[in-house]
Amino acid sequence: MERAVSDGETRREAVTAGGAVAQPAWIVMGRDSSGIIAADLDGDGLEVARTRVPAGELDAWVAAREAASGPRWVWHDTPQWYTALLDGGVRVARCHDLRLCHAILRGSALVTPTASVRDAVRWDAATPIAAESSGAPAPTLFDLDGGTASAGPPDDLDEALREFSRQRAAIAGSEAPSRLRLLTAAESAGALIAVELRCAGLPWDAAAHDRILTDALGERPAGGGQPARLAAAAAQVRAALGDPAASLDSQPKLLRSLHRVGVLVESTSRWELAEQRHPVVEPLLEYKKLSRLLSANGWAWLAEWVHDGRFRPVYVPAGVVTGRWASSGGGALQLPRQLREAVRADPGWKLVVADVAQLEPRVLAAMASDTALSEAARGRDLYAGIVDTGAVATRAEAKVAILGAMYGATTGESGRLVPRLRRAYPRAMGLVDDAARIGEDGGSVTTWLGRTSPPPSGVWATAQSQATEAEASEADQTRARRWARDRGRFTRNFVVQGTAAEWALAWLADLRTRLADMPPVTTADAAPRSGRVFATRPHLALFLHDEVIVHTPAAYADEAAQAVADAAASAARLLFGGFPIDFPLEVRVVDSAAKA
DNA sequence: AGCTGGATTGGG
DNA sequence: AGAACCCAATCCAGCT
């Protein structure tokens, strides 16, 4: 299956024979002009063998190397390698995603300013991805026409080896190698999980979805056009407006229609309309609700995004500056609660639905080593804990005060309550206040594991420096102050949201390993629509910032639920060591993800 | 025709 | 209810 393309024959033989020489710590994947090549690296990062992978045999070759030694696979872009492998039935345990890790290391304040990783410009390109909704594997994977080859990061083997070497040097020479090692490993695990989530899909009952739509909107009209209940709401609105031809889907036109009948709102938003007393309000709010459901998650969405009983969105790890995931297509991260009823386990399978209560303030307590706040958070509702210490009077006040502290509220009830938190939890509040001050001054802040906020834009910096000049106008200074405060709120939130995203990645990665280690069920109990790799074992089906859904054979449901909780405890230890902070989960084992 | 930005509503 | 942070998707208006 293997043949050498360069020197090092003898060492290659030793490696492939699995003999006395240590198994490779890493296998770097890449291509040259004639196909796929793999380079084995030892624990010091030295290349010990180079192997050409015969065309068409990648799946079998990777499966064999994975089984033999469990290396960490190094490649330029996980979706471009792993999508096809999973489709071929091959799962890998660990990888190093050069593109994602480059982005972290290049920006991290923990990395030496002169580190060569910062100058590797070809790795700064945005991801070329966004696979189509059809579920087809990325078509650009190994075709050689090279039409858009310059768009993404390079998958040339020598480029990959050089970049990996730069990244290892950047980590080793950084202020906190262990944190960056943890972060790059977690980020790479996330890259694997994002591809796996799409491959397995979220079990989706199209008939249940159709019932939700029909109940809310009315029967779907056969020849297009509006469903009955939506049309009825529209008719009521037009009657109340006294205009049978009124346009309801154009904000400017609707606004003019409203003004004509004396509803003097400044916008057509739900909040403002709700304050008005006019017969048009109720049917209009109903119309907007139904119209939204139809256009965002109606039958067209169902036809486009749900196939063969699975919703398969495209997840984009680190798609958000803070490190949170984004999604591209399908709106995976904004499924309305109304539709959760359509998330249904396959027959003989269960869903484990779990979310972390108040993840961000818990992370803040641990980051700041604020034992008063972590004590209030211990094993229960954090907001109730804050009330018990007497800092504020009610749970509602505690919630609005904590959110205000993390988001930078200065006005309203929240702004009034934040000073009381400062007295009760000076360390935690000091951490976010410091982050805000640094941001206002144009500086950058860094998460617990080392992801650094982007520097301010040139426009921002110019506005700040101009505002200090003698001839600066009042307006210049006002604008500069506002922009400074805006950026302060951003950096204030960045450290907390970004570290929470790191905790969630660690949780997810640990959970993924626990699930993979559970024994498979027989094919008789399989869920084949989850794909070859996941048909016979518990697998992740959804990840949403602080929530996961696991799809599991019913026989393993309790074990899977336990794994979710154990993984949370493990993530807490991994990030925060012995610091006493709890991350209590709400875990439900259910057939449908609808809120109980 | 295709892009951008605003408005709105869904998610955390 | 809002405010305050991070978003995506949709539709429309206004532009090139």
Side-chain angles (χ1 to χ4, degrees):
Chain A
M1 187 182 288
E2 301 168 1
R3 62 198 158 85
V5 293
S6 63
D7 304 335
E9 235 86 349
T10 52
R11 304 189 70 175
R12 179 186 62 81
E13 296 300 335
V15 168
T16 52
V21 170
Q23 300 288 6
W26 294 282
I27 300 180
V28 185
M29 303 298 289
R31 301 179 355 169
D32 67 3
S33 54
S34 44
I36 299 169
I37 316 183
D40 289 9
L41 307 190
D42 67 15
D44 297 322
L46 297 175
E47 183 171 340
V48 293
R50 189 173 279 220
T51 313
R52 181 168 297 287
V53 182
E57 292 181 21
L58 180 65
D59 293 349
W61 189 87
V62 169
R65 300 304 303 273
E66 176 76 10
S69 66
R72 193 177 285 279
W73 297 91
V74 181
W75 44 44
H76 76 298
D77 183 56
T78 301
Q80 292 201 30
W81 287 90
Y82 196 36
T83 305
L85 287 170
L86 272 180
D87 287 344
V90 181
R91 176 192 183 274
V92 303
R94 304 186 302 161
C95 84
H96 180 99
D97 185 299
L98 290 167
R99 184 181 67 84
L100 291 170
C101 294
H102 175 91
I104 289 170
L105 297 172
R106 178 171 195 270
S108 177
L110 302 182
V111 170
T112 312
T114 55
S116 60
V117 75
R118 297 193 195 276
D119 304 321
V121 286
R122 286 188 64 194
W123 290 86
D124 296 339
T127 176
I129 297 307
E132 310 74 279
S133 57
S134 66
T140 57
L141 199 36
F142 300 124
D143 53 4
L144 283 161
D145 63 11
T148 56
S150 59
D155 63 354
D156 175 86
L157 178 66
D158 291 317
E159 285 277 4
L161 284 165
R162 281 192 291 271
E163 173 62 16
F164 187 48
S165 167
R166 287 191 291 266
Q167 292 189 10
R168 286 181 17 95
I171 293 170
S174 73
E175 284 176 36
S178 60
R179 291 192 181 199
L180 287 175
R181 252 176 226 122
L182 188 50
L183 178 55
T184 50
E187 185 86 332
S188 299
L192 293 175
I193 291 164
V195 176
E196 291 175 356
L197 281 167
R198 178 173 168 77
C199 174
L202 180 65
W204 197 275
D205 185 334
H209 187 161
D210 180 72
R211 279 195 298 278
I212 294 166
L213 295 178
T214 304
D215 286 351
L217 299 167
E219 208 60 52
R220 182 185 192 184
Q226 283 188 328
R229 293 176 69 103
L230 181 64
Q236 278 188 49
V237 174
R238 294 199 174 97
L241 291 172
D243 177 1
S247 168
L248 308 185
D249 297 321
S250 155
Q251 292 99 343
K253 290 177 189 171
L254 178 58
L255 204 53
R256 283 195 290 275
S257 296
L258 288 166
H259 289 172
R260 268 198 293 278
V261 295
V263 181
L264 301 179
V265 286
E266 285 181 16
S267 80
T268 65
S269 75
R270 188 148 51 96
W271 316 122
E272 213 181 337
L273 283 168
E275 291 170 357
Q276 299 291 318
R277 286 242 278 259
H278 188 281
V280 76
V281 170
E282 195 190 325
L284 180 53
L285 292 179
E286 177 72 3
Y287 175 83
K288 285 165 79 82
K289 198 173 87 190
L290 297 180
S291 171
R292 166 78 188 183
L293 176 62
L294 177 64
S295 68
N297 295 101
W299 289 282
W301 181 92
L302 187 57
E304 183 177 359
W305 288 102
V306 177
H307 296 103
D308 197 25
R310 293 291 185 274
F311 170 41
R312 294 192 161 89
V314 179
Y315 292 93
V316 184
V320 178
V321 278
T322 56
R324 271 190 173 179
W325 288 15
S327 71
S328 114
L333 273 46
Q334 37 274 132
L335 283 178
R337 300 222 152 262
Q338 197 180 3
L339 286 184
R340 284 192 160 235
E341 214 180 310
V343 180
R344 299 275 175 95
D346 282 5
W349 287 55
K350 292 281 183 186
L351 299 173
V352 178
V353 183
D355 68 293
V356 194
Q358 305 122 9
L359 174 58
E360 292 186 356
R362 291 171 192 279
V363 159
L364 172 58
M367 291 175 81
S369 298
D370 192 318
T371 47
L373 186 55
S374 76
E375 180 62 36
R378 181 152 310 160
R380 57 177 166 172
D381 181 69
L382 177 141
Y383 302 132
I386 291 175
V387 173
D388 290 349
T389 67
V392 295
T394 67
R395 186 182 185 280
E397 283 186 345
K399 181 173 181 175
V400 81
I402 283 285
L403 292 177
M406 292 190 308
Y407 292 155
T410 53
T411 60
E413 189 188 2
S414 182
R416 278 203 311 282
L417 291 168
V418 169
R420 299 166 66 169
L421 288 189
R422 273 199 192 94
R423 285 195 292 277
Y425 311 110
R427 296 185 71 127
M429 296 303 121
L431 189 149
V432 286
D433 287 345
D434 284 351
R437 189 175 34 72
I438 290 167
E440 287 182 23
D441 292 344
S444 291
V445 296
T446 298
T447 60
W448 187 245
L449 293 185
R451 196 185 308 265
T452 296
S453 64
S457 71
V459 181
W460 187 95
T462 307
Q464 298 305 324
S465 57
Q466 280 176 353
T468 64
E469 287 166 11
E471 66 270 29
S473 71
E474 193 73 30
D476 288 341
Q477 293 178 17
T478 304
R479 189 185 60 170
R481 275 197 298 273
R482 192 179 68 241
W483 285 7
R485 283 194 302 269
D486 288 348
R487 189 154 192 284
R489 284 193 300 273
F490 167 62
T491 51
R492 169 191 293 271
N493 188 247
F494 183 96
V495 290
V496 180
Q497 188 181 114
T499 303
E502 288 164 354
W503 183 92
L505 272 183
W507 179 39
L508 213 54
D510 192 88
L511 173 58
R512 169 182 184 262
T513 303
R514 290 173 193 269
L515 296 178
D517 287 345
M518 292 168 66
V521 294
T522 63
T523 50
D525 298 317
R529 292 181 299 182
S530 295
R532 288 167 63 180
V533 172
F534 303 109
T536 57
R537 56 175 73 253
H539 62 84
L540 285 158
L542 179 89
F543 168 54
L544 214 173
H545 306 314
D546 59 1
E547 174 184 7
V548 298
I549 297 181
V550 174
H551 189 219
T552 174
Y556 294 147
D558 291 339
E559 282 177 66
Q562 189 60 48
V564 171
D566 291 345
S570 174
R573 276 194 307 275
L574 199 58
L575 262 72
F576 303 119
F579 183 80
I581 181 70
D582 291 341
F583 290 91
L585 301 173
E586 190 201 326
V587 185
R588 295 179 293 135
V589 177
V590 292
D591 294 308
S592 158
K595 260 291 182 199

